[in-house]
Amino acid sequence: MKSILVAAAALTLSVGIASAQDKTIRMGTEGAYPPYNFINDAGEVDGFERELGDELCLRAELTCEWVKNDWDSIIPNLVSSNYDTIMAGMSITDERDQVIDFTQNYFPPTASAFVAAADGVDLAGGVIAAQTATIQAGYVAESGATLVEFATPEETIAAVRNGEADAVFADKDYLVPIVEASGGELMFVGDDVPLGGGIGMGLRESDTELKEKFDAVITEMKADGSLNAMLVKWFGPETAQY
């Protein structure tokens, strides 16, 4: 009987290990912040973070799938276990780090910028659009300007175009292609503003083993140059690199 119990315990342990290894890691993203993440014409998650996330999972020998979630609930739904990670252009901040954990950054600290439809906009006292629950919204709220928040980044741009806001404040990497494609309708105004500690993957604070796995492969990709190659592919040779 004892040998049977030992054998049963060993079988249970081996099954537990196998099931943990076979677990599908659900990668949460917004799908609305190109070129970081967006939904392509085939209806699939695409962009820099899709390519990077797939490579991280491959190197970590993890099976992963992508889950789309609106930005304003992306952290609560991670905490509620709707998915296991966040890769959504999310800057590492002290405030967020009190609720969730982060890997090391996979995108270096970068500038935020203002875009308007005309030069001479009053950035200090005007109406500035920003996406809800972003570090840019927090910055505007403390600046003395009037903040108008929107659920999606597209809506912040639309607010400038339709006159609802004097300017939009967002990641410069997001704004550059929009300004270039506007044919002079939109322009950068004021100075760039450095914010945040770079962009990292968000995880639940209890998922320490998963964080260690992803940290290890991010370190590996920084060392072998493959992360820099992706940054140049998606953001151009002028982007910050490791």
Side-chain angles (χ1 to χ4, degrees):
M1 177 65 75
K2 182 177 180 181
S3 61
I4 294 174
L5 291 174
V6 170
L11 177 61
T12 300
L13 178 61
S14 65
V15 170
I17 292 172
S19 63
Q21 291 175 336
D22 293 341
K23 177 187 175 184
T24 297
I25 303 302
R26 295 156 299 168
M27 311 284 278
T29 193
E30 182 186 15
Y33 205 58
Y36 294 94
N37 58 84
F38 57 92
I39 304 301
N40 62 25
D41 292 340
E44 299 173 340
V45 173
D46 205 340
F48 164 66
E49 286 170 315
R50 172 63 192 264
E51 183 176 359
L52 174 59
D54 286 351
E55 182 65 18
L56 293 176
C57 289
L58 179 65
R59 294 191 184 209
E61 299 182 343
L62 296 169
T63 301
C64 298
E65 66 180 22
W66 290 86
V67 178
K68 183 179 178 297
N69 194 93
D70 291 342
W71 175 262
D72 57 0
S73 61
I74 203 164
I75 288 179
N77 283 341
L78 170 69
V79 175
S80 298
S81 298
N82 288 20
Y83 35 82
D84 304 298
T85 74
I86 295 173
M87 291 189 73
M90 181 171 285
S91 296
I92 301 168
T93 67
D94 292 339
E95 182 180 8
R96 289 172 179 155
D97 201 32
Q98 293 176 7
V99 181
I100 62 174
D101 209 348
F102 284 96
T103 61
Q104 62 180 291
N105 64 45
Y106 55 74
F107 195 108
T110 187
S112 296
F114 294 94
V115 163
D119 204 359
V121 170
D122 180 10
L123 299 177
V127 178
I128 310 298
Q131 188 178 11
T132 301
T134 60
I135 55 175
Q136 289 84 12
Y139 177 86
V140 174
E142 295 177 359
S143 71
T146 299
L147 170 66
V148 287
E149 296 182 88
F150 295 91
T152 68
E154 292 91 345
E155 289 173 296
T156 66
I157 303 297
V160 173
R161 285 192 161 120
N162 65 28
E164 190 176 351
D166 298 313
V168 54
F169 187 51
D171 287 319
K172 189 169 185 179
D173 292 307
Y174 169 72
L175 294 171
V176 166
I178 293 173
V179 171
E180 290 176 347
S182 73
E185 179 189 1
L186 300 173
M187 64 189 71
F188 286 102
V189 293
D191 297 326
D192 291 351
V193 181
L195 294 175
I199 293 169
M201 178 190 292
L203 307 98
R204 288 181 291 275
E205 292 186 332
S206 59
D207 286 340
T208 54
E209 182 179 352
L210 187 59
K211 176 189 172 183
E212 289 171 0
K213 284 186 177 182
F214 280 124
D215 262 330
V217 290
I218 293 171
T219 296
E220 179 183 302
M221 291 187 68
K222 287 179 178 179
D224 66 20
S226 55
L227 181 51
N228 280 344
M230 284 189 190
L231 289 169
V232 171
K233 172 185 175 180
W234 288 100
F235 298 95
E238 70 283 350
T239 192
Q241 299 178 41
Y242 294 100

